[in-house]
Amino acid sequence: MKLSVIIPVLNEAKNLVEMIPFFLAHKQRNKFEVIVVDGGSKDDSLQVAQNLGVQVLQSKERSRACQMNLGANRASGEILYFVHADTRVLPSFFTDITKTVDSGVPSGCFAYSFDSESRLLKVNSWFTQFNGLLSGGGDQTLFVKRDVFEALGGFDESYCIMEDFEFVRRLKKKYRFHVIPKKITVSARKYKSNSWIRVQLVNLLMIVLFHYKISPIRLKFLYSRLLVYR
């Protein structure tokens, strides 16, 4: 069963330098492909990916939903695995995913921990092992069988934020979803630029507004105004 790793990027050259070699050196490298989809980076993301020899696509839209759909359309794998560039997956990712799919579960994600020793972030990560209302966010690296992804119409490109939650919400209504309890590593850079409580409150606000079907454009505007990125 072939797998396609799809990595949407925007100015992620530093992360790609570390991430792509991990995939290229993997012992099961012949069983999966790596596709980097750039959304108009101003740094060396494109050049880094091209120099390392993985497939590179350029999206006309600076939108993670559009980028991931483009990657899925060009992918040849029976399983699609969407991974953020600042996430570090486990060496066992291929086996973990294919075993889950072979067991009859067509979709899922991983639990995660942060690249930080913060006790508060350890509490956050503890909850990611459960398949609850908030599971399936992009940081958890989503995998889904290609036929299921296509049956659902892929990511809704009207969502410029929270496209992962919107997709997983639709997915769970029709298909089984499993959270693999093994923990991948997620960047804590958002928390380094903002206080822990500020990030929690903004995330809660986004979830509530998403529930009440507030426009994705409005959600993104609020999110970018309320949180600082460095």
Side-chain angles (χ1 to χ4, degrees):
M1 187 175 293
K2 187 176 180 180
L3 183 147
S4 295
V5 179
I6 300 169
I7 310 169
V9 303
L10 182 66
N11 301 323
E12 294 285 5
K14 292 182 179 179
N15 278 313
L16 291 178
V17 167
E18 182 177 346
M19 170 181 269
I20 295 177
F22 163 82
F23 286 118
L24 296 182
H26 198 277
K27 63 182 180 180
Q28 291 167 302
R29 176 69 184 92
N30 63 326
K31 297 180 181 179
F32 64 87
E33 64 181 347
V34 178
I35 303 174
V36 172
V37 189
D38 186 74
S41 294
K42 301 300 182 183
D43 67 357
D44 295 328
S45 294
L46 273 172
Q47 185 176 355
V48 167
Q50 290 169 342
N51 289 346
L52 288 171
V54 298
Q55 184 176 351
V56 180
L57 304 175
Q58 291 180 266
S59 172
K60 294 180 180 179
E61 302 292 334
R62 181 178 292 189
S63 159
R64 189 171 280 164
C66 294
Q67 290 169 242
M68 293 190 291
N69 280 343
L70 176 59
N73 288 337
R74 300 288 184 88
S76 60
E78 298 160 86
I79 303 172
L80 307 175
Y81 185 35
F82 300 97
V83 181
H84 290 180
D86 61 353
T87 300
R88 299 296 174 261
V89 305
L90 298 167
S92 61
F93 82 93
F94 181 85
T95 301
D96 295 333
I97 292 172
T98 53
K99 279 186 176 180
T100 299
V101 172
D102 285 341
S103 72
V105 181
S107 62
C109 63
F110 286 82
Y112 66 74
S113 59
F114 289 95
D115 59 353
S116 168
E117 294 302 316
S118 165
R119 292 183 179 181
L120 290 173
L121 291 183
K122 290 182 185 298
V123 173
N124 280 29
S125 66
W126 184 79
F127 285 98
T128 65
Q129 64 188 302
F130 303 108
N131 186 6
L133 179 65
L134 302 182
S135 62
D139 286 339
Q140 292 188 261
T141 65
L142 171 70
F143 62 87
V144 57
K145 288 187 66 179
R146 184 189 190 92
D147 57 348
V148 170
F149 182 82
E150 292 177 346
L152 291 169
F155 293 98
D156 186 336
E157 296 185 0
S158 69
Y159 278 80
C160 49
I161 189 173
M162 298 188 76
E163 71 291 328
D164 40 17
F165 283 105
E166 192 282 328
F167 176 79
V168 171
R169 183 184 63 176
R170 285 187 285 124
L171 187 154
K172 287 183 176 180
K173 289 179 180 179
K174 294 185 177 182
Y175 302 95
R176 294 174 65 191
F177 187 89
H178 175 64
V179 178
I180 297 173
K182 294 182 178 180
K183 290 188 175 182
I184 59 176
T185 302
V186 170
S187 171
R189 58 183 176 179
K190 178 166 57 177
Y191 292 88
K192 294 175 183 177
S193 302
N194 305 272
S195 68
W196 179 86
I197 187 62
R198 186 179 185 86
V199 175
Q200 304 312 306
L201 291 175
V202 171
N203 286 344
L204 177 60
L205 175 63
M206 292 298 106
I207 291 167
V208 170
L209 295 179
F210 171 78
H211 176 75
Y212 283 102
K213 300 182 179 180
I214 301 301
S215 161
I217 295 175
R218 180 64 177 166
L219 291 180
K220 186 171 184 179
F221 173 78
L222 288 172
Y223 192 81
S224 63
R225 291 294 297 272
L226 293 172
L227 291 183
V228 176
Y229 281 88
R230 296 191 181 96

